[in-house]
Amino acid sequence: MTVESIQNVTVIGAGTMGHGIAEITAMAGYSVTLQDVDSDALAEGYRRIEWSLDKLAENGVIESVDTVAGRIDTETETASAVKNADVVIEAVSEDLELKRTIFEDIDGHASTDAILASNTSSLSVSKIASEISRPERAVGLHFFNPPVKMDLVEVIYGAKTSDQTVDRALSFVNSLDKKPIEVQKDVFGFVVNNILHGFIDEPAWMVSRGEATIPEADAAMVHCRNYPMGPFELADLSGIDIAYDVRQAGDIPIPPVMQERVDAGEYGRKAGVGYYDYENGDGPMYEQGDGVTFDTLHVEACMANKAAELLEQDVTTVEDIDTGMQLGAGFPVGICERADEIGLGTIVQKLSTFHEKYGESRYEPAEYLVQLVEEGHAGVAAGAGFYEYDTE
Ligand code: NAD
């Protein structure tokens, strides 16, 4: 069901994310305007929507392609695209200056109570909206790729976003049949990517230090810990260059194995070679037995530490972290639930050992985690950890 106060939605940028967001918004019953400055990209975006709707109709997910496609108009001009919009979702390339300019442009042409949302995956919502007249209407709406399949949307507060804007944004996301999680502070990486950095980077540090091999790490995380993909396999799929740029932008140290791939132009699947060879090889090559010696606790302890830091900073809740990691990253269970199973004392001990050995600040156990352990909230075995457990 659509939200009463929202009829018209404009999506700016018809690329990978924009066309998908326009598609699901039309499926939910809204009138959609898809805008792109590049008319070829716009036509291609619309063609991709029609292709996807055909598949959904074949599978009985929607009744009529024409009805849904008929709700979508296309536009190349921003001013006319946004003038009747109740919600504008910007999904152009990940470039702060470009997004800032577009937000100013939208601000000048959209109605005063329209929500102005950005689908940025790593930039600051506050910075994107810093020059607009009503920053209280700006919000992050971080959809995951592909929007038609991924059920999660992170709803992010910028520094000046009002509760009313977030409430409307949450209702809008629910009306798309997606699950929103609230990110109450505009921290780098928001929730899901913040924790996912640990999943990808820690194995890369271990390989860089000669403590493990790539197939060992991937085999262990998939076969021993049930993650849907190994960290290196995932990095190859999502693009090592993109991961690299995000870390550069966030001042996050780059593991040497990642640097080497970037220097060699070996960006992953799209380049034909990354951590694995897709051109002359068979892509990810690992077997169940490869993972038995890999230290999975190292990786999971670092992710749990990141989760604790987010809780310490009041960015989000335990439940939203776990929902986010399951729906946004395909984790088999949330990282807080996993940490409780492992035992928070074990995790703090592991992190302290690393902190002492490597001196890196990311290994320092979060105060929140230490406090939980000190209070006897050491995980499932203790009856409480990140969660409370019914021990009856
Ligand atoms: P993309 O390169 O596929 O598409 C960007 C589109 O924006 C292009 O069609 C381009 O023509 C258009 N564009 C550029 N300048 C414009 C302007 N001034 N006005 C209107 N349109 C303009 O990019 P993408 O992968 O869809 O990413 C879009 C945003 O979504 C980025 O902020 C990205 O970080 C975020 N995001 C991407 C993914 C992903 O997996 N691709 C996932 C989540 C979030």
Side-chain angles (χ1 to χ4, degrees):
M1 207 164 63
T2 57
V3 175
E4 214 178 305
S5 64
I6 299 172
Q7 269 103 45
N8 302 311
V9 178
T10 295
V11 180
I12 309 278
T16 305
M17 294 305 291
H19 89 274
I21 296 168
E23 179 183 356
I24 54 168
T25 307
M27 283 167 63
Y30 295 101
S31 292
V32 179
T33 303
L34 180 59
Q35 189 270 349
D36 201 297
V37 278
D38 178 341
S39 54
D40 290 340
L42 190 57
E44 176 60 11
Y46 193 81
R47 195 197 58 70
R48 289 169 84 180
I49 292 175
E50 286 184 314
W51 179 89
S52 170
L53 290 175
D54 277 338
K55 294 274 163 237
L56 293 173
E58 273 170 35
N59 296 329
V61 179
I62 57 167
E63 271 178 29
S64 157
V65 173
D66 289 345
T67 305
V68 178
R71 295 185 188 125
I72 306 174
D73 283 329
T74 56
E75 255 297 347
T76 49
E77 295 297 320
T78 314
S80 39
V82 303
K83 70 176 190 297
N84 293 323
D86 302 303
V87 176
V88 181
I89 304 170
E90 165 280 304
V92 304
S93 334
E94 193 76 334
D95 173 332
L96 179 60
E97 281 319 310
L98 175 63
K99 286 181 191 282
R100 260 190 179 149
T101 311
I102 288 175
F103 259 63
E104 282 177 63
D105 203 11
I106 302 169
D107 187 37
H109 294 102
S111 87
T112 50
D113 57 359
I115 291 179
L116 310 188
S118 174
N119 184 48
T120 179
S121 30
S122 59
L123 298 171
S124 153
V125 176
S126 316
K127 283 186 186 160
I128 292 172
S130 63
E131 299 299 323
I132 67 173
S133 61
R134 280 172 291 272
E136 67 277 7
R137 299 182 296 160
V139 67
L141 282 186
H142 183 211
F143 291 82
F144 287 72
N145 188 19
V148 76
K149 287 203 180 135
M150 299 295 283
D151 285 332
L152 186 76
V153 180
E154 288 181 309
V155 177
I156 305 131
Y157 275 85
K160 297 186 176 162
T161 309
S162 68
D163 290 340
Q164 195 194 4
T165 297
V166 168
D167 286 346
R168 273 183 91 200
L170 291 169
S171 305
F172 173 66
V173 170
N174 279 315
S175 77
L176 303 179
D177 210 13
K178 300 289 171 193
K179 173 79 186 151
I181 60 168
E182 258 186 79
V183 184
Q184 284 147 14
K185 286 186 186 155
D186 194 7
V187 293
F188 187 79
F190 311 134
V191 170
V192 175
N193 284 338
N194 220 320
I195 294 174
L196 209 52
H197 286 166
F199 182 75
I200 289 180
D201 291 13
E202 286 309 320
W205 283 109
M206 291 163 83
V207 169
S208 300
R209 292 182 193 127
E211 295 165 1
T213 66
I214 290 171
E216 282 168 4
D218 280 357
M221 297 314 283
V222 171
H223 294 296
C224 308
R225 304 304 282 165
N226 293 329
Y227 291 90
M229 252 186 224
F232 293 98
E233 197 180 359
L234 176 62
D236 270 358
L237 185 68
S238 46
I240 301 170
D241 53 333
I242 293 175
Y244 180 84
D245 289 347
V246 168
R247 282 154 185 74
Q248 288 278 69
D251 247 344
I252 297 172
I254 311 276
V257 285
M258 187 185 277
Q259 184 72 54
E260 284 159 22
R261 293 316 188 279
V262 171
D263 291 346
E266 295 174 354
Y267 300 146
R269 233 169 230 275
K270 64 187 171 189
V273 59
Y275 292 118
Y276 295 98
D277 194 340
Y278 301 84
E279 229 161 44
N280 303 312
D282 295 329
M285 296 275 285
Y286 57 84
E287 285 170 18
Q288 188 155 0
D290 293 340
V292 288
T293 56
F294 182 81
D295 184 4
T296 57
L297 176 58
H298 177 149
V299 183
E300 292 185 324
C302 289
M303 289 196 285
N305 204 31
K306 194 43 93 175
E309 279 171 22
L310 292 173
L311 293 168
E312 195 173 297
Q313 295 162 18
D314 292 326
V315 172
T316 188
T317 62
V318 173
E319 289 78 10
D320 274 2
I321 287 175
D322 279 2
T323 301
M325 297 320 289
Q326 286 179 278
L327 298 183
F331 277 23
V333 292
I335 190 61
C336 297
E337 191 181 335
R338 178 60 60 91
D340 277 354
E341 285 163 12
I342 295 169
L344 302 189
T346 306
I347 287 177
V348 168
Q349 215 168 34
K350 186 81 181 174
L351 290 165
S352 303
T353 310
F354 284 150
H355 190 225
E356 213 165 288
K357 188 168 170 191
Y358 300 111
E360 304 275 358
S361 59
R362 68 179 183 282
Y363 295 133
E364 187 173 359
E367 269 176 43
Y368 183 83
L369 203 51
V370 174
Q371 198 184 327
L372 283 176
V373 174
E374 282 174 359
E375 287 169 357
H377 290 205
V380 178
F386 281 111
Y387 292 97
E388 298 279 340
Y389 297 91
D390 193 354
T391 44
E392 296 283 294

